[in-house]
Amino acid sequence: MTFAQSAVRLAGCAGVAFGWAPDAFWRATPAELGALVRALTAQEPIAVPDAGTIARLKEAFPDE
C-alpha cells in the first residue's frame, strides 16, 4: 500500500471514529491524531516525527 493510499484510509477512519471531515484530518498534526487514537485504544504514546525527519522522508519518498 502506498503512502497516499494509507493516508486516504486513515482519513476515512478518522471520519468514522472522530467525526472528522477530510479538511479536519488534513489540518491535524500527527500529535493530535495520535492523542485521539491513544485515548480510544489506551496505548502508550508513540514518538512523533520532528520536522527534520519529515523532510528526510519527503526527500526519500517524493509524491509522484
Side-chain angles (χ1 to χ4, degrees), residues 10-57:
L10 186 55
C13 290
V16 171
F18 313 126
W20 284 6
D23 62 317
F25 172 80
W26 292 110
R27 284 193 325 262
T29 66
E32 291 167 333
L33 181 58
L36 289 173
V37 170
R38 282 189 307 279
L40 290 179
T41 62
Q43 292 182 357
E44 293 298 314
I46 59 170
V48 176
D50 61 18
T53 301
I54 291 172
R56 286 190 298 279
L57 287 168

